[in-house]
Amino acid sequence: MTGSYLQPLVETAAARGVTADRLAAAAGLPAGALRPLPDSLAARDYIALLDAGAMLTEDPHFGLHVGERVRPGTYTVYGLVLMACRDVGQALEQTRRYEVLAHDLGRTQLSVEGADALYAWISHYPAASRHLVESVFAGIRIFGSWLAGRPLSPRHVAFAHRSDAPLDEYERVLGVRPQFGAAGNVGRFDAAILAMPVPDADPSLYPVLRQHAERLLGARNAEGSGILAQVRAMLVKQLPQGGARLPAVAAELGMSPRTLQRKLADAGSSLQELLDGARYELARDYLRQRELGLVDIAFLLGYQEQSAFTHAFREWSGVNPGAWRDAAA
């Protein structure tokens, strides 16, 4: 994610007496990691900062209060695109396409059911605390109201998580008391809002800004695909030598471990995810080769013990490697 998207979180903590250094330390980040704000940050570090902020401030609505502090600059280039849209519906459609330019925490979905429009947000980190989803929904309402030039309130908001925090603050920030423990994170609102014009928008700038956003999106996708392919190739090469570790991979690619972690996070992945994926794919190939025993395969995949390989394969496939080999015969 971008440093701009991180700023509301740091400001919310500071307003409650928590310094950037204290926040970083509680999230397990190096001293000075937030001074100045980095150009980008791994999504998992952002989630850790959200949790640290909620803990240190003792604020049960920390996520809501982070979302309240969003501004056009929070969303970087795609925020400028939204400000040039002709109406709220177009702005939400562009959010679906370009929000990845600000963060890779999740994805927006938009649909219409009769007189209702449904805004859904699918988190890439469903195990994260409720503060993540609540910050996103608060931010959407605040920024949407700013775009429309008047307060916009949903008819209904449903969250997949549960909360024992006081409901009055939810109603103040979101405009309605949410339902908790639902099937997903969804806001339902009057579909007529989609046709509401954006005051002071300059639609003549829209094609230029959208073209710029498309270039950034293309570059990001290309960079993401490139780094993932490079790291995966390096992992496959190093697995039999037991060198599939972050420092070794980073050194081979000529960058620091922290830089590699950031690049992988920007591409929506991590070294562990790539390692698991490479090992699972290779394991299936090796299991089809009957001349290879399970001990041999474990060694080729960088495991010191066959039991570790067996446990991992069961986690990936749901069955032991021997059973998988028999079924593949």
Side-chain angles (χ1 to χ4, degrees):
M1 69 173 46
T2 64
S4 298
Y5 196 83
L6 171 63
Q7 187 157 3
L9 191 162
V10 176
E11 290 179 352
T12 303
R16 288 156 177 77
V18 176
T19 65
D21 285 346
R22 189 176 169 211
L23 184 65
L29 300 182
L34 303 180
R35 290 185 300 106
L37 289 179
D39 291 334
S40 64
L41 186 77
R44 289 176 179 81
D45 288 340
Y46 177 82
I47 293 169
L49 287 167
L50 265 179
D51 291 344
M55 176 191 68
L56 293 173
T57 62
E58 299 182 353
D59 179 2
H61 299 101
F62 187 75
L64 291 180
H65 296 150
V66 169
E68 272 195 299
R69 287 182 175 268
V70 304
R71 57 183 70 93
T74 301
Y75 302 111
T76 60
V77 172
Y78 106 78
L80 298 177
V81 173
L82 303 188
M83 291 163 60
C85 288
R86 65 177 180 274
D87 54 41
V88 172
Q90 186 182 35
L92 284 174
E93 286 293 339
Q94 299 313 298
T95 295
R96 291 173 60 186
R97 180 158 183 80
Y98 297 124
E99 66 184 323
V100 68
L101 295 178
H103 67 79
D104 199 25
L105 295 165
R107 287 294 171 269
T108 286
Q109 293 183 350
L110 183 67
S111 59
V112 177
E113 294 182 358
D116 287 351
L118 276 68
Y119 168 86
W121 194 70
I122 313 301
S123 175
H124 289 168
Y125 298 87
S129 73
R130 61 183 172 85
H131 296 290
L132 175 59
V133 172
E134 291 177 7
S135 69
V136 170
F137 272 72
I140 287 292
R141 192 209 175 195
I142 295 299
F143 191 66
S145 297
W146 184 87
L147 279 179
R150 68 178 181 85
L152 299 179
S153 294
R155 288 176 171 165
H156 182 70
V157 170
F159 290 138
H161 59 261
R162 299 188 180 277
S163 173
D164 56 3
L167 294 176
D168 288 352
E169 189 68 352
Y170 283 106
E171 186 170 11
R172 183 188 71 80
V173 177
L174 299 176
V176 66
R177 295 190 176 199
Q179 170 195 352
F180 295 99
N185 305 305
V186 180
R188 182 181 294 268
F189 58 95
D190 185 350
I193 289 176
L194 296 175
M196 188 177 294
V198 176
D200 303 321
D202 187 352
S204 66
L205 290 176
Y206 175 76
V208 177
L209 292 170
R210 190 173 185 275
Q211 186 178 39
H212 181 47
E214 282 293 326
R215 284 198 297 267
L216 292 176
L217 187 62
R220 183 189 185 282
N221 290 339
E223 180 182 356
S225 299
I227 190 64
L228 295 183
Q230 289 180 59
V231 171
R232 187 189 181 283
M234 197 63 62
L235 289 172
V236 171
K237 173 185 173 183
Q238 294 184 353
L239 274 173
Q241 288 78 43
R245 299 291 185 270
L246 181 65
V249 173
E252 285 286 338
L253 295 175
M255 62 183 74
S256 70
R258 183 173 179 79
T259 297
L260 177 57
Q261 283 182 312
R262 176 181 59 78
K263 286 181 176 291
L264 291 176
D266 288 345
S269 188
S270 68
L271 188 75
Q272 190 60 52
E273 289 175 7
L274 291 174
L275 179 59
D276 287 344
R279 276 175 160 165
Y280 185 35
E281 183 178 340
L282 289 171
R284 287 175 292 175
D285 289 340
Y286 292 150
L287 286 169
R288 292 187 180 97
Q289 301 176 39
R290 297 285 169 167
E291 67 275 14
L292 291 176
L294 296 184
V295 173
D296 300 321
I297 294 174
F299 172 78
L300 289 171
L301 295 177
Y303 292 104
Q304 295 185 358
E305 301 288 341
Q306 178 188 327
S307 58
F309 163 56
T310 299
H311 175 77
F313 192 87
R314 190 187 304 120
E315 288 289 317
W316 299 328
S317 67
V319 298
N320 289 331
W324 191 94
R325 169 175 269 175
D326 291 341

